[in-house]
Each structure stands twice: as C-alpha cells, then as structure tokens.
Amino acid sequence: MQKRGCGIRTGIEYRERLSPSLWALVAAAVCGPMAALVFSPIDTTFALVVGLVVAVGIVAALVALSPVIEVRDGELRAGRAHIPVGYLGVPAGVVADEARTARGSGLDRRAWHVIRGGIDGIVTVPVTDPEDPTPMWVVSTRTPDRLVAAIQRAQVRLRTPGR
C-alpha cells in the first residue's frame, strides 16, 4: 500500500522493532540441541557445530525478520506497507482486554494488520482516504501511547506550514 502527495521530511519520530519475546527466542534456540542430537551418531563435533548453527540461525532470523513500526517523513510504516499521515484519522491505543478484542472478535478483515503475539498493545488508525479500500490499520506495539503521540505530531506538522 503506497500513497503519494504528503511527502514531508521530518526524520524518524518513532521506531519499534516487533521482535519476539525472550521466551520465544529461548524456545527457538532449543532447536539447536535437537538438530545436534540428530547428527550425533555421525560425529559429535559435527553435531555440535550443526546445533550451534541451527540455534544461532533461527534466533537471528526471528529477530531480523521482525517487522518494524515507525513514523518517519510524514508516513506511518508498518512492516512493508506505508501510508502518509495525511490520509489517517485519529489514532487510538489500547491494551489489555480492549487490545484482545481489537486483535480478536473486533478485528475488521479489511483492515491492514501487523499483529504479533506476545505484544499486548494495539494502535488502531482509521484511514480517511475515500479511494482506499482499507478502513483502518491495526498495529501491535509495546508502547501504544508513544506511537499515538508520534502519529498525532506528524499530523500536526503536516497541517502546520513552515514547520
């Protein structure tokens, strides 16, 4: 999803990588000893090297492939998608039960989703562009209040010429 026409250069106002939790990384690292066990009848040293490579590779892939949420240059970026803040309505951040509902039964299938398990907060932002079939963006974040504030600052900066 790409839109043009609201290009202001302000740098990064908010950035967060939705990396897996510590427990998810530990669980992924357990794949290393399992791989080593498979190759242990062949050669112990080879098995240890394979186990180490598998564990490091899986953990590195989980971290490197985690989506990034950022507000930069007048755009909200969530994973691969980005939209100018001029096409966004008033953002709302929720946690706990409200966030569970926003991720579950309250989730609009037409919305753009970047949702990660283990991250409690959610920010929903309506899309105000009448040409866009996506009614809103639903984004996981560990700090919903900071993301909401960054979107609002970018929207104010867009409406205030000379800033």
Side-chain angles (χ1 to χ4, degrees):
M1 167 169 313
Q2 296 182 5
K3 296 197 180 281
R4 303 207 185 272
C6 296
I8 55 174
R9 298 281 177 207
T10 59
I12 296 175
E13 296 184 37
Y14 177 87
R15 180 170 168 56
E16 175 183 8
R17 179 174 292 277
L18 300 180
S19 55
S21 67
L22 178 61
W23 292 112
L25 294 175
V26 168
V30 170
C31 293
M34 288 190 283
L37 188 61
V38 169
F39 290 100
S40 63
I42 298 170
D43 181 46
T44 308
T45 305
F46 178 70
L48 291 174
V49 169
V50 167
L52 182 64
V53 168
V54 166
V56 170
I58 290 175
V59 169
L62 283 174
V63 172
L65 297 175
S66 299
V68 173
I69 308 300
E70 65 182 6
V71 178
R72 176 178 57 152
D73 297 332
E75 290 184 332
L76 171 61
R77 297 170 180 266
R80 298 178 314 235
H82 56 95
I83 184 170
V85 295
Y87 292 114
L88 299 176
V90 178
V94 294
V95 293
D97 289 336
E98 291 179 44
R100 240 181 318 283
T101 301
R103 283 189 300 267
S105 62
L107 192 61
D108 187 341
R109 64 182 175 83
R110 299 171 300 151
W112 176 257
H113 311 116
V114 178
I115 299 174
R116 292 297 175 256
I119 299 177
D120 188 44
I122 290 284
V123 170
T124 59
V125 189
V127 176
T128 58
D129 182 8
E131 309 249 339
D132 196 332
T134 306
M136 73 173 45
W137 281 31
V138 180
V139 179
S140 290
T141 176
R142 290 180 178 88
T143 56
D145 53 338
R146 289 182 52 214
L147 179 55
V148 166
I151 294 169
Q152 290 172 335
R153 275 193 312 270
Q155 289 172 328
V156 167
R157 189 171 288 118
L158 178 67
R159 288 188 290 264
T160 309
R163 282 186 88 184

